[in-house]
Amino acid sequence: MLSSFDDVAIIGGGVAGLATALALHGLSIKCSVYEMRETNAAPPTSSGALTLSPNSLRILDRFGVYSRIEEISYAFDYVYYKNADEQTIDRYPFGGTSAFGYQALRIYRQDLLDILYTACSERKIPIHFGKRLTEVIDESDNHVAFKFADGTTNTASLLIGSDGIHSKVRDYVASGVEKIFTGLGGLTWELPTKQLRIPEEKDYKFPVIILTTNGGFILAPQKNNGSAMFAGTQIPLEDRDREGWSKFLADKEGLVKLVTKNIEVWPDVAKSGMENINHETMNVWPFYKIPRLPHWTSQKNHRVVILGDAAHAIPPTTGQGASSALEDVMSLALVLSALKKNMGLRWEDALIFWQKMRQDRIDDLLVLTNQLNNKRLPLEKQNLLAKDDLWVDESSTNPSQMAWLYAPKIDEVVNAWAGEAASKAA
Ligand SMILES: Cc1cc2nc3c(=O)[nH]c(=O)nc-3n(C[C@H](O)[C@H](O)[C@H](O)COP(=O)(O)OP(=O)(O)OC[C@H]3O[C@@H](n4cnc5c(N)ncnc54)[C@H](O)[C@@H]3O)c2cc1C
């Protein structure tokens, strides 16, 4: 059983890993983070901004970092959809103070990592850079041994793999599982907002996704004053290995050609966003998914756990990748807290409960993803779908339509489980 004297090794110092460290510190559980990058600088392939919605902002608030995030982020409530004629055809809520307690925020990934890293440093949580885990060697009933690329080995009472979609820890927890390339990728860049020719009569509100026969073109403000704009589109791509993706990203002229293919289809505002693309800001985001995993913890002694992108890859449609990772972290921390308070609870049962709770939520997100993807189909195809296969905005009459997503009752669910499990154990 875990106690406050036990030590936890966290593999991967991304959003999930650093947040896990903050959560464990809050429970007085000793932990260390091992990150393969040499510094806290994010790799260029994962730069740019990401969106945090109220469900994760509430968690970051609990970790004491919300105000730092809010100060430098772009705040908004809805993403708007426009058709090829630039008529607003739909909107999708991402946040809202009165309905969910927080507006959605767009923050540069590097800024978020810096804020989390600073918070960890202030709490004196050890973060070891240049440590690439190569293997989980073995586990006993009270510790797990693991190895790094530099040849060193280490042990901990619990190993948490927050090492992203290409997770090495997952190889140990669910061996033989291969990530699947969806055949699609996002091609993105940043431009000064003032560069856009925004037609006044079309009533543009941002972020916006413009749907044409080329697919969707996204324009999403960044920086707290919206002075920069994230632009991008999804395109079909072939799978590549890491080196292949690096080469693909390095060929900036090739990327610009891909983006501007069939440029005549896009409305002028999108065309203006494609002028003089700053190569430095160009990015490729290949969309991978991993099959539903049978378990997120090692079966031998349950001393190895995976979370975040390592455990589930959320398609980009709902913008919930980072937010889901943070929900994993918070719910696991609450489960650990319940275990610490009640020694009668079993670690193994707790993990089974935690995984089910999280997997149910991921399943709900996948349903929502499908409903939102269907909204991008031509109207005649949408009309053939069952009502439940389409997402319909009801927020003007039902402001809490998205409360299940943005205001989940994580504490209540964990407390109910802990109470029930404790009374069974007594
Ligand atoms: C371009 C882009 C845009 C995105 N936009 C959004 C968005 O708008 N909203 C949203 O919610 N999500 C978004 N996502 C998804 C989101 O970034 C991820 O879901 C989220 O970062 C998952 O966090 P993570 O910590 O699990 O994984 P990661 O962020 O991938 O972090 C994993 C960390 O582990 C380290 N690592 C990997 N292997 C090892 C190893 N063997 N040993 C040690 N360290 C290792 C990596 O260096 C990295 O630091 C976006 C992703 C990309 C790429």
Side-chain angles (χ1 to χ4, degrees):
M1 186 61 54
L2 283 175
S3 80
S4 54
F5 303 105
D6 281 336
D7 61 311
V8 178
I10 300 167
I11 306 299
V15 175
L18 295 177
T20 302
L22 293 177
L24 294 181
H25 179 84
L27 292 171
S28 306
I29 294 174
K30 207 176 121 208
C31 63
S32 302
V33 180
Y34 299 92
E35 165 56 50
M36 72 177 187
R37 285 175 281 121
E38 295 297 329
T39 69
N40 193 44
T45 44
S46 65
S47 58
L50 52 77
T51 300
L52 296 171
S53 46
N55 45 331
S56 54
L57 291 169
R58 193 170 295 106
I59 292 166
L60 291 162
D61 211 354
R62 285 170 88 154
F63 296 159
V65 292
Y66 171 74
S67 54
R68 293 185 205 178
I69 291 171
E70 197 235 351
E71 210 176 302
I72 54 171
S73 299
Y74 179 82
F76 68 99
D77 289 345
Y78 290 94
V79 169
Y80 295 86
Y81 288 86
K82 278 188 178 290
N83 63 16
D85 296 326
E86 298 174 275
Q87 291 157 329
T88 302
I89 49 169
D90 208 356
R91 63 177 192 177
Y92 173 74
F94 254 91
T97 314
S98 56
F100 316 115
Y102 300 83
Q103 288 197 282
L105 297 179
R106 281 186 60 73
I107 182 166
Y108 286 101
R109 176 188 302 262
Q110 185 61 61
D111 287 342
L112 179 59
L113 286 179
D114 286 345
I115 288 170
L116 293 172
Y117 175 74
T118 302
C120 286
S121 302
E122 285 165 358
R123 290 157 180 78
K124 305 205 179 334
I125 299 169
I127 301 178
H128 308 281
F129 288 102
K131 298 296 275 186
R132 181 165 65 84
L133 179 118
T134 49
E135 191 190 352
V136 178
I137 302 168
D138 202 1
E139 64 185 301
S140 69
D141 59 358
N142 60 15
H143 83 277
V144 49
F146 45 98
K147 188 174 177 182
F148 294 102
D150 60 11
T152 57
T153 56
N154 215 332
T155 62
S157 57
L158 176 69
L159 183 110
I160 297 183
S162 49
D163 50 344
I165 181 108
H166 307 288
S167 172
K168 261 278 165 225
V169 181
R170 188 176 61 234
D171 289 347
Y172 178 80
V173 169
S175 67
V177 170
E178 292 290 336
K179 60 186 184 298
I180 303 163
F181 183 54
T182 59
L184 277 178
L187 245 170
T188 65
W189 63 98
E190 187 181 89
L191 58 121
T193 302
K194 60 177 191 274
Q195 176 183 316
L196 290 174
R197 292 187 293 274
I198 303 169
E200 253 178 51
E201 69 284 6
K202 299 289 185 184
D203 187 27
Y204 265 86
K205 294 191 194 81
F206 297 92
V208 67
I209 298 175
I210 309 166
L211 303 171
T212 72
T213 50
N214 274 356
F217 188 89
I218 184 165
L219 287 167
Q222 357 222 61
K223 300 194 174 154
N224 55 0
N225 59 4
S227 59
M229 192 66 84
F230 170 89
T233 184
Q234 288 185 8
I235 50 166
L237 291 171
E238 276 170 23
D239 197 9
R240 294 161 167 80
D241 58 16
R242 260 181 215 221
E243 202 187 324
W245 285 119
S246 298
K247 273 194 195 153
F248 184 68
L249 180 63
D251 176 15
K252 305 296 183 188
E253 284 304 334
L255 295 182
V256 172
K257 263 192 203 143
L258 270 178
V259 164
T260 51
K261 202 173 148 196
N262 299 331
I263 191 169
E264 64 289 348
V265 171
W266 298 114
D268 188 56
V269 64
K271 285 182 190 142
S272 67
M274 293 180 201
E275 288 166 8
N276 307 314
I277 293 178
N278 177 352
H279 289 182
E280 292 294 305
T281 67
M282 290 199 91
N283 205 353
V284 178
W285 178 12
F287 301 148
Y288 284 97
K289 57 183 182 182
I290 48 169
R292 199 174 202 273
L293 299 179
H295 33 78
W296 298 7
T297 61
S298 58
Q299 296 303 286
K300 191 172 176 190
N301 284 301
H302 306 281
R303 291 275 147 191
V304 184
V305 178
I306 49 174
L307 49 73
D309 275 9
H312 49 75
I314 306 285
T317 319
T318 55
Q320 284 292 314
S323 294
S324 296
L326 287 161
E327 281 191 18
D328 290 348
V329 170
M330 191 67 232
S331 50
L332 184 64
L334 290 170
V335 166
L336 289 174
S337 169
L339 282 163
K340 278 188 74 175
K341 281 186 211 141
N342 190 329
M343 300 307 266
L345 299 180
R346 275 168 30 105
W347 173 233
E348 184 183 340
D349 294 342
L351 287 180
I352 291 170
F353 157 76
W354 172 72
Q355 181 185 332
K356 175 159 182 353
M357 170 191 181
R358 293 303 305 140
Q359 186 68 62
D360 286 352
R361 191 119 166 107
I362 301 295
D363 290 347
D364 289 345
L365 267 179
L366 293 176
V367 171
L368 177 65
T369 301
N370 190 41
Q371 291 173 331
L372 280 175
N373 284 344
N374 285 341
K375 288 296 278 188
R376 300 185 185 187
L377 293 173
L379 263 183
E380 59 273 18
K381 286 200 177 154
Q382 287 188 29
N383 290 338
L384 298 174
L385 295 170
K387 190 170 167 279
D388 286 351
D389 287 339
L390 268 186
W391 189 83
V392 178
D393 175 34
E394 296 166 3
S395 54
S396 47
T397 53
N398 176 14
S400 56
Q401 180 190 10
M402 298 303 285
W404 69 271
L405 179 57
Y406 298 137
K409 301 196 180 315
I410 303 180
D411 292 70
E412 288 86 335
V413 175
V414 174
N415 288 342
W417 162 78
E420 208 178 300
S423 56
K424 268 190 204 155

